[in-house]
Amino acid sequence: MLPLEQRDLRNWMTGRSSLTARLIAVSKSFAVQLLYEGVAKPHRDEAWLLGLRLGQVARIRQVSLVCDGRPLIYGHTILPLAPRHFFDRVFVGLGQRALGGELFRDPRIRRGPFRFCQLNREHTLALRAARVSGLEGALRSRFW
């Protein structure tokens, strides 16, 4: 069962291991619901973090991680179109599989530090996350 207190939830979400693996461990059933996969413009702050020009498109994937029939996590992933690298093939072909399973399986991939933010309730990502899971706030990390 997921911890209910905000502080405990934050610690649980930021563990060193895969969030996907932790969700699977505490659930009787786990599923990835693919909400969107394609090419689109990232949000301004995302573009800046990835070194993209405003208006430049990237690969974007949005999912809901569902535990025991309940959507708990809204996942939003961005991958620049260039430069091309080995992970492109994995990312594009994920479908209903969890990205976390792939990220933690490959020793060439590293995760940077977590960053937290409170999104404005009118921000597109906040609206989507609230619609999927009913939760507010955002957790961001970068893999390379």
Side-chain angles (χ1 to χ4, degrees), residues 4-31:
L4 297 178
E5 288 188 38
Q6 186 86 12
R7 185 184 70 226
D8 292 338
L9 182 59
R10 181 178 178 148
N11 291 335
W12 196 84
M13 294 281 293
T14 58
R16 292 186 150 274
S17 64
S18 164
L19 174 61
T20 301
R22 290 193 309 275
L23 290 171
I24 291 169
V26 298
S27 305
K28 292 178 184 167
S29 67
F30 173 83

Side-chain angles (χ1 to χ4, degrees), residues 45 117-123 125-127 129 136-138 140:
D45 61 325
C117 68
Q118 182 68 39
L119 295 173
N120 177 309
R121 289 184 177 197
E122 301 305 315
H123 191 287
L125 290 179
L127 293 170
E136 295 181 11
R140 173 184 285 162

Side-chain angles (χ1 to χ4, degrees), residues 53-73:
R53 295 181 318 274
L54 283 181
Q56 188 174 352
V57 296
R59 283 187 183 85
I60 296 180
R61 181 171 189 255
Q62 298 168 359
V63 299
S64 173
L65 302 183
V66 181
C67 297
D68 300 328
R70 181 177 167 214
L72 289 181
I73 304 292

Side-chain angles (χ1 to χ4, degrees), residues 44-112:
R44 179 182 301 255
D45 61 325
E46 297 167 331
W48 179 80
L49 285 171
L50 293 174
L52 302 174
R53 295 181 318 274
L54 283 181
Q56 188 174 352
V57 296
R59 283 187 183 85
I60 296 180
R61 181 171 189 255
Q62 298 168 359
V63 299
S64 173
L65 302 183
V66 181
C67 297
D68 300 328
R70 181 177 167 214
L72 289 181
I73 304 292
Y74 169 73
H76 175 83
T77 307
I78 303 165
L79 185 69
L81 294 178
R84 307 283 298 178
H85 52 77
F86 74 94
F87 196 70
D88 290 359
R89 289 186 307 277
V90 174
F91 184 80
V92 171
L94 281 171
Q96 300 289 90
R97 290 181 298 135
L99 175 61
E102 301 301 322
L103 292 173
F104 284 86
R105 186 183 343 261
D106 194 318
R108 295 174 290 180
I109 299 172
R110 300 280 185 250
R111 179 174 65 195

